[in-house]
Amino acid sequence: MAEQEKKAPDQVCTFWIGEALCGVDIRCVQEINRQVDATPVPLSPPYVLGVMNLRGRVVTVVDLAAKLGLGSTRFTDETRNVIVQSQGEPVGLLVDRIADVVDVDLETVAPAPANLGGIRGTAFQGVLRTDGALVGILDVDAVLGEET
C-alpha cells in the first residue's frame, strides 16, 4: 500500500527499548508474545536475530534496539516480541518490555525532532506527549525498510 500521507494512529502500543519509550500504531500489531528464540540466518544484518515459526508462518525477528542504533536488547523475563505487519509480512520486533496501549489525541502529537539523524530520524512519525512521558511513535515500514 503506497500512501503519500499516513493516517495518524488512534491508539499506539507502547514499549521500552532501553530507556526510550516508543510506540507503534495499534493497527500494525498482530500480537505480542514471549517467544524470543530465533533460528539464526547466515549472512543476515546484525540486527536480524533470525527467524521463528509462528503457527506455521516464518517470521523474521529484528532486535529493534540494534536496528535503531540503541545497542542490543537484553533478554529478561520481560522481553517480548511484538509481531507487526510490514509490507504484507509479519515481522517480530524484539523489545525490552511492553508498557501500555495509549489513546492518541492529535493535539498531543508533535513532529519528530529535526535533529535526529540517520535511521532514527526517518523512523519516527512523531512524538506523543502524555501526562508522564514522551512516546516516540515509530513508522514500522520506515524502520524495517531502512538499511543500517
Side-chain angles (χ1 to χ4, degrees), residues 23-140:
V24 295
D25 188 335
I26 195 76
R27 296 171 296 192
C28 296
V29 178
Q30 179 179 321
E31 68 180 82
I32 299 168
N33 67 45
R34 295 175 188 243
Q35 183 178 349
V36 294
D37 293 329
T39 302
V41 177
L43 304 176
S44 62
Y47 57 84
V48 173
L49 297 177
V51 294
M52 65 180 229
N53 181 348
L54 182 65
R55 292 181 294 286
R57 290 201 68 182
V58 175
V59 176
T60 302
V61 178
V62 172
D63 182 343
L64 193 52
K67 179 68 172 158
L68 293 173
L70 301 173
S72 294
T73 300
R74 288 181 335 149
F75 289 90
T76 70
D77 289 342
E78 294 183 320
T79 304
R80 294 293 181 268
N81 207 345
V82 179
I83 309 297
V84 297
Q85 287 292 321
S86 176
Q87 301 172 8
E89 294 291 325
V91 177
L93 303 177
L94 195 68
V95 301
D96 287 311
R97 68 184 189 277
I98 298 296
D100 205 352
V101 173
V102 178
D103 291 325
V104 176
D105 174 3
L106 292 180
E107 300 288 319
T108 62
V109 177
N115 62 349
L116 287 178
I119 180 70
R120 288 182 239 163
T122 61
F124 292 94
Q125 288 180 293
V127 177
L128 173 66
R129 296 180 303 263
T130 65
D131 290 337
L134 294 175
V135 180
I137 303 174
L138 291 170
D139 180 336
V140 172

